[in-house]
Amino acid sequence: MVAHLTHVPAPDGVAPSPQYSHVVWGTGRFVAISGQCSLDAAGAVVGPGDPAAQARQVFANLRRCLAAAGAGFEDVVKLTYFVTDVAHLRAVRAARDEAFGPAPLPASSAVQVAALVGPDLLIEIEAFALVPTAGDTDGGDSPPPL
């Protein structure tokens, strides 16, 4: 299949980052995944106090949610990380890199929050994806018209 997303690591005049793409666009069906926390299928917290275990569970949950929409990590255009401590971003990045593999990284934002929905939760991540549809072609080399 021809790529349906275009990733721009750093536009002219913007400092590059190995952690995300500054701009991502494409064509397809829009999918929004609600913020996922480190809860198992029964609703129990996985890895209380362990940001690495929680990050792995969050990405496992994101994978399941994306699959339910016929998508995968290669279709993700935006991730938003909510962490109770920015120090947890190291664990988030490790789990993200494992989940995404060699796929280009999406655009992303990270926000430190005072608390999440449960006292043992350290990380929440939401995702936006574009899933290719019949007739989708390459995202193109130039941005879409304004």
Side-chain angles (χ1 to χ4, degrees):
M1 166 180 240
V2 176
H4 67 287
L5 298 176
T6 298
H7 295 259
V8 179
D12 289 344
V14 177
S17 173
Q19 300 300 332
Y20 54 87
S21 297
H22 280 281
V23 182
V24 181
W25 71 85
T27 58
R29 179 173 43 88
F30 179 74
V31 176
I33 306 294
S34 293
Q36 296 297 303
C37 295
S38 63
L39 302 176
D40 64 16
V45 175
V46 173
D50 182 348
Q54 289 200 18
R56 286 189 301 273
Q57 181 66 38
V58 170
F59 277 97
N61 290 348
L62 286 169
R63 182 182 311 278
R64 290 178 185 104
C65 291
L66 287 163
F73 286 115
E74 68 277 5
D75 301 307
V76 174
V77 296
K78 176 73 164 76
L79 292 172
T80 305
Y81 310 111
F82 302 95
V83 295
T84 58
D85 186 331
V86 294
H88 302 329
L89 287 175
R90 175 173 283 159
V92 168
R93 288 178 182 137
R96 178 211 53 205
D97 291 349
E98 184 177 315
F100 275 80
L105 294 175
S108 68
S109 300
V111 181
Q112 181 172 318
V113 296
L116 293 169
V117 69
D120 290 331
L121 298 172
L122 306 173
I123 299 163
E124 181 174 334
I125 303 173
E126 68 180 13
F128 299 132
L130 284 176
V131 181
T133 57
D136 282 347
T137 60
D138 187 339
D141 291 332
S142 59
L146 296 175

